[in-house]
Amino acid sequence: MRSLQLLALLVLFASQVMSRPQQSSSTLPNDQPMANMNGLYTISNPNKMSGVEWNSDYTKRPNVSYFDVYTPPIRTRYGEVYWTMMDPVALPDYIIERYKGKVIAVVGYEADQVRKTDKGEESMPIFWQYNHHFGAFITGAKSTVKEVDEATFRLKEEFGVYNNEKFWVPVEVDGDDSLDAAPSGIPTAQVFSEGNGGEYRKSFHGYPRGYAQIVYSPDTFRISPMQIDTHNRDHDKSKFVAGPLPKNSASPPNASYSGLLECPCTDRIKRVVEVTYAAQEKGNCGTPVTNATECFEAVKTLKVTPTSQPQIVSEPSLPSGCVIIKSQVDKSTKVYYNTNPSSAQCGGGNLFSGTGSAISNVTLDLSLDASSKGLATITMTGPDGVWFGVGLDAEAMENLPYAIIVDGEGAVMERKLGNHDPGKQLAGSITVTSNKVVNGVRTVVMTRALAGKTADHYTFSPGKQPTIPFISAVGNTSTFSIHRFKGSAMLTVAAQNGATCVCNAGVKGSINGNGFSKNCLPEPYGDLVQQKNPTCWVETYQGGLHCCHHQWILLDEDQNPWEDVIDEYYLKFRFWYEDYDASVPTHKNLERVYYQTEAHSSEYDIIKAPEGTPPSQAIQIITAHWQVKDMIRPTSGATGIELIYAGGHCHAPSCLSMELYNADTGRLLCRHVPVYGQGNTDEDKFDEVGYLALPPCLWGSGEEGLEKPVFLPFNGNITSVKRNNNTNSHYGEMASWQMRGIYV
């Protein structure tokens, strides 16, 4: 035990040391010439009637300056994905000192990917290292970036970043005791993710005068980039030549881009696809089980054990298909496959029961009375002398379940578990009716109402949720603490003296052991389900984020070129900033505004047009419809927002256009047409052939050559239209709107 405690202390010490921000390479006050890092930019909606030409040159702004930060080094081999939250980097000393206890106004930023050579710093071509997307933070002395569970992330996702099934948000901390708390309304952290992806170097990331992302006492930069190594080591950067590609790559021969940037699922990927089943207590199955063999196997997956051999019958009094019958009289459980085309419905009666076990020495038995009594009888068995418990409606602690814990002395408590955290104890709602120990096994019988006492207490709904996933664990101490053994399972509470139907609940699966989950919304919210886009289902999924995790290799198993030839480079960000004066105030803080046209899949496939379709007619269109309140959380005192910045996100090489409409008025708010590179890299290093920039829409004042901001009420309706060329297939395309606005 002592050695384990020592090991834990060493791990904790190491994690604290590693989490200390590295010092940025840019540590000297800005004495370099003032200039845009990546040249000039364009926008999609200049105000041509204003008589003023909009200017993207940051140096034309009065009282502006910049600082540069570099990420820690990124090292990859050909075909490798780099997608992780990188170590924090300290901002330059002069920035930290200048804004200690003060507020900085970030008015824009630029980004590049660079390597260090004997001749100095040089940009890496986008066809060597492809940026799929990124999410970056600047945090202050009173905040930090923390990994959280998905439920917490969804409450704060407008401030957060997602990668590889992990979720990150900025959180408030006490920080420097010498500093006061941030003034009311002043953020202690900001996230930067607009115009990310392959377009990130030549898409404008700036704001009109008087607007900024403001941060109190800034001191740290941190980023989660998704980079894909597409660098053919046998060729220099003067021209793109594709390296080896997996069989499932969708890119055609001699394409101007690497098929790796679309994250094809290779034969290294282990895909598991299985049909799932669910119990149903009302109506009839939407998708019935179609034969007896399937029926008898399906019952096993629901952890129902018949007391006699399953039978094939033709009985008009039973629902057709797969049926479980539990008898309250003789306690039998029988399974039938009914071939009769009966009109009888599932269910009947108010009593339900089921038993399950997730680990060998803990058993959960439920008897539910859905009559006016509304009573659940819960029986738990486990080893005497140590604690044991179950968490309901959960497959893991990260689901934050309601749990019942029995300690080593037999005392019972109810808890709301945290993500690998003991969580909190809840107000008691259980009455213990029996508590016995026989041969070292404790059996506790309890009752409580079906309805949960609070929102944190689980509510039993046998008619709606007859199959309940649950977790169980056993400790090695009498009091509740870290578990020794754990497991997950399910139980089905079947109707007693009624018919519980077993239905086909659809297909589920995993990719390399990670559960596959998509939330493709139906019409009118999105098009992907209606269009049967392959991205929505694990059995048809061909490429994209699920096949593109950190350090995965996007090549087939028999491909291993340049194994020891590692590219090392850095992401470089230049942040343009101004002083913030709260007494005026000089700047309005820009809130993050976000939505996906591919609602809510995060990606989708471009489906190849029929052979012979002229390129001008090979166009795939998706649309989405939502309300303003769906893309920014309403706040008290405001009735809507004004959009200030709108940047679409799509990938080379098929993106044609993105359009955003006020659906209530029909007004076109923003239209992007990508600017594709022509290969004139001698004149412009970012002009790689076939790769794109997306000029954003920007609203401000006519004095800057900009259109006036448009007010959008929270209940206003929005429509997005995305067009792609589909002469060829493409995986993992995106169509999100990454925007900034102010509450009004």
Side-chain angles (χ1 to χ4, degrees):
M1 177 64 72
R2 184 171 299 173
S3 62
L4 289 175
Q5 291 173 334
L6 178 59
L7 176 60
L9 288 172
L10 289 172
V11 170
L12 177 61
F13 174 75
S15 67
Q16 290 174 336
V17 170
M18 292 176 68
S19 67
R20 292 172 184 164
Q22 302 178 26
Q23 180 62 52
S24 167
S25 301
S26 177
T27 58
L28 298 176
N30 178 17
D31 56 3
Q32 302 179 39
M34 289 281 286
N36 281 12
M37 184 172 77
N38 294 350
L40 297 179
Y41 304 86
T42 59
I43 58 174
S44 290
N45 65 333
N47 185 347
K48 297 179 180 179
M49 303 298 293
S50 68
V52 178
E53 183 176 357
W54 177 78
N55 193 336
S56 67
D57 188 345
Y58 284 103
T59 67
K60 301 303 181 184
R61 301 175 67 116
N63 306 315
V64 74
S65 189
Y66 72 80
F67 62 88
D68 293 338
V69 290
Y70 296 75
T71 66
I74 298 173
R75 300 182 181 92
T76 57
R77 51 170 287 200
Y78 177 73
E80 184 176 355
V81 179
Y82 188 96
W83 188 17
T84 188
M85 182 61 71
M86 302 188 75
D87 288 339
V89 175
L91 300 185
D93 287 339
Y94 65 93
I95 293 295
I96 296 174
E97 291 304 316
R98 177 172 176 174
Y99 289 101
K100 185 175 183 179
K102 299 178 182 178
V103 180
I104 192 172
V106 177
V107 298
Y109 63 97
E110 302 177 88
D112 194 9
Q113 50 195 38
V114 300
R115 63 176 178 176
K116 297 177 180 179
T117 71
D118 294 339
K119 298 180 181 179
E121 177 182 294
E122 69 173 15
S123 294
M124 294 278 277
I126 198 71
F127 57 69
W128 277 9
Q129 301 293 339
Y130 185 77
N131 177 256
H132 193 277
H133 64 272
F134 66 79
F137 297 95
I138 288 181
T139 55
K142 295 291 185 179
S143 66
T144 190
V145 174
K146 180 182 178 182
E147 183 182 353
V148 296
D149 59 76
E150 183 174 2
T152 302
F153 176 80
R154 295 304 173 197
L155 296 174
K156 303 179 68 174
E157 61 184 309
E158 63 266 37
F159 309 109
V161 167
Y162 158 87
N163 64 29
N164 291 305
E165 320 296 334
K166 296 182 179 180
F167 305 90
W168 305 84
V169 296
V171 295
E172 301 274 340
V173 296
D174 292 336
D176 188 341
D177 292 337
S178 67
L179 294 177
D180 293 331
S184 177
I186 300 297
T188 60
Q190 288 281 359
V191 63
F192 301 86
S193 63
E194 294 72 29
N196 58 16
E199 64 268 26
Y200 80 116
R201 300 161 309 153
K202 286 298 291 184
S203 296
F204 186 63
H205 308 94
Y207 310 125
R209 294 175 187 174
Y211 299 92
Q213 290 180 251
I214 59 179
V215 186
Y216 175 70
S217 201
D219 62 10
T220 302
F221 172 80
R222 199 169 186 190
I223 187 171
S224 172
M226 182 178 177
Q227 300 283 124
I228 301 174
D229 190 323
T230 60
H231 177 196
N232 184 331
R233 269 58 168 179
D234 290 340
H235 293 269
D236 64 24
K237 65 178 184 178
S238 62
K239 181 182 178 181
F240 169 74
V241 178
L245 299 172
K247 293 184 290 293
N248 195 40
S249 170
S251 60
N254 302 314
S256 62
Y257 63 97
S258 170
L260 299 184
L261 66 84
E262 297 177 335
C263 295
C265 298
T266 74
D267 64 11
R268 297 175 188 241
I269 297 296
K270 307 305 178 187
R271 186 195 310 252
V272 175
V273 179
E274 60 181 350
V275 178
T276 61
Y277 302 93
Q280 185 168 315
E281 304 289 0
K282 291 183 179 180
N284 294 105
C285 293
T287 304
V289 172
T290 57
N291 60 71
T293 301
E294 182 186 8
C295 169
F296 303 154
E297 291 300 315
V299 169
K300 294 178 184 178
T301 71
L302 299 181
K303 306 302 181 184
V304 173
T305 303
T307 55
S308 59
Q309 204 57 25
Q311 300 178 41
I312 301 174
V313 299
S314 179
E315 176 55 61
S317 66
L318 294 178
S320 62
C322 193
V323 182
I324 301 169
I325 302 292
K326 276 196 169 189
S327 171
Q328 187 181 6
V329 177
D330 63 10
K331 307 301 181 184
S332 65
T333 299
K334 297 181 179 180
V335 174
Y336 301 105
Y337 182 74
N338 185 19
T339 61
N340 192 291
S342 166
S343 60
Q345 295 194 335
C346 313
N350 293 313
L351 301 178
F352 305 84
S353 64
T355 300
S357 179
I359 52 179
S360 60
N361 55 350
V362 176
T363 300
L364 172 65
D365 181 274
L366 296 177
S367 294
L368 308 180
D369 185 343
S371 68
S372 58
K373 292 181 179 180
L375 190 68
T377 300
I378 304 162
T379 304
M380 291 171 54
T381 63
D384 181 39
V386 296
W387 72 266
F388 60 92
V390 299
L392 298 178
D393 198 21
E395 296 177 353
M397 287 185 72
E398 64 189 34
N399 299 133
L400 313 181
Y402 162 81
I404 302 172
I405 309 297
V406 180
D407 72 16
E409 302 297 323
V412 176
M413 65 176 165
E414 299 164 81
R415 301 189 71 89
K416 176 73 169 177
L417 298 182
N419 185 10
H420 301 288
D421 183 89
K424 63 181 180 180
Q425 186 166 349
L426 301 177
S429 66
I430 280 175
T431 299
V432 176
T433 61
S434 175
N435 195 331
K436 298 178 180 179
V437 177
V438 178
N439 296 327
V441 176
R442 182 179 294 278
T443 300
V444 183
V445 182
M446 303 157 270
T447 60
R448 50 149 280 195
L450 294 182
K453 186 173 184 177
T454 71
D456 287 332
H457 291 72
Y458 177 70
T459 292
F460 295 97
S461 303
K464 295 180 180 178
Q465 189 190 15
T467 300
I468 305 171
F470 70 96
I471 58 176
S472 61
V474 172
N476 55 12
T477 60
S478 177
T479 56
F480 179 57
S481 60
I482 190 169
H483 53 68
R484 183 181 181 189
F485 303 111
K486 64 176 181 176
S488 62
M490 66 172 66
L491 63 80
T492 297
V493 283
Q496 295 185 12
N497 303 326
T500 297
C501 297
V502 178
C503 309
N504 184 322
V507 173
K508 76 172 185 178
S510 62
I511 291 178
N512 276 8
N514 299 299
F516 183 93
S517 176
K518 283 295 184 86
N519 185 25
C520 298
L521 298 185
E523 294 285 2
Y525 307 103
D527 288 344
L528 300 188
V529 174
Q530 182 186 48
Q531 294 179 1
K532 296 181 172 57
N533 196 279
T535 197
C536 294
W537 299 277
V538 65
E539 64 269 34
T540 55
Y541 191 80
Q542 294 297 311
L545 298 176
H546 284 270
C547 289
C548 223
H549 283 216
H550 183 53
Q551 296 183 328
W552 289 11
I553 303 296
L554 301 176
L555 300 171
D556 288 332
E557 289 188 298
D558 62 354
Q559 297 174 308
N560 196 24
W562 312 298
E563 180 180 9
D564 299 321
V565 184
I566 304 299
D567 271 2
E568 178 177 293
Y569 63 101
Y570 306 78
L571 296 183
K572 177 183 180 181
F573 279 72
R574 175 163 295 179
F575 288 96
W576 293 87
Y577 66 92
E578 296 169 352
D579 290 336
Y580 174 83
D581 185 350
S583 66
V584 178
T586 51
H587 302 78
K588 294 180 180 179
N589 182 58
L590 289 167
E591 307 289 342
R592 193 182 192 187
V593 184
Y594 180 81
Y595 206 81
Q596 301 175 1
T597 315
E598 65 274 33
H600 277 303
S601 174
S602 297
E603 60 182 358
Y604 67 107
D605 287 359
I606 305 303
I607 302 169
K608 186 176 181 178
E611 290 292 340
T613 303
S616 62
Q617 298 176 25
I619 300 175
Q620 177 173 321
I621 301 174
I622 66 167
T623 61
H625 309 277
W626 68 89
Q627 290 193 313
V628 173
K629 63 186 177 184
D630 298 323
M631 62 184 185
I632 185 171
R633 203 179 304 273
T635 187
S636 60
T639 58
I641 63 169
E642 287 182 350
L643 276 185
I644 303 301
Y645 175 101
H649 174 52
C650 63
H651 292 289
S654 66
C655 184
L656 293 178
S657 67
M658 293 183 67
E659 296 169 347
L660 191 70
Y661 290 89
N662 181 331
D664 295 322
T665 65
R667 177 176 177 176
L668 176 64
L669 299 173
C670 181
R671 184 173 192 267
H672 295 320
V673 176
V675 178
Y676 279 93
Q678 302 301 308
N680 300 319
T681 52
D682 290 339
E683 297 180 11
D684 181 354
K685 61 186 178 183
F686 302 123
D687 195 44
E688 299 101 334
V689 64
Y691 290 83
L692 58 82
L694 272 179
C697 292
L698 202 63
W699 294 268
S701 74
E703 295 177 356
E704 291 183 80
L706 297 174
E707 297 282 355
K708 182 181 178 182
V710 177
F711 173 73
L712 299 172
F714 289 131
N715 62 354
N717 294 293
I718 301 294
T719 294
S720 174
V721 181
K722 169 73 182 304
R723 294 177 175 86
N724 284 77
N725 177 271
N726 65 341
T727 298
N728 298 294
S729 298
H730 301 277
Y731 311 136
E733 173 62 321
M734 294 182 170
S736 59
W737 286 96
Q738 302 163 328
M739 301 175 282
R740 291 277 164 181
I742 60 170
Y743 286 116
V744 177

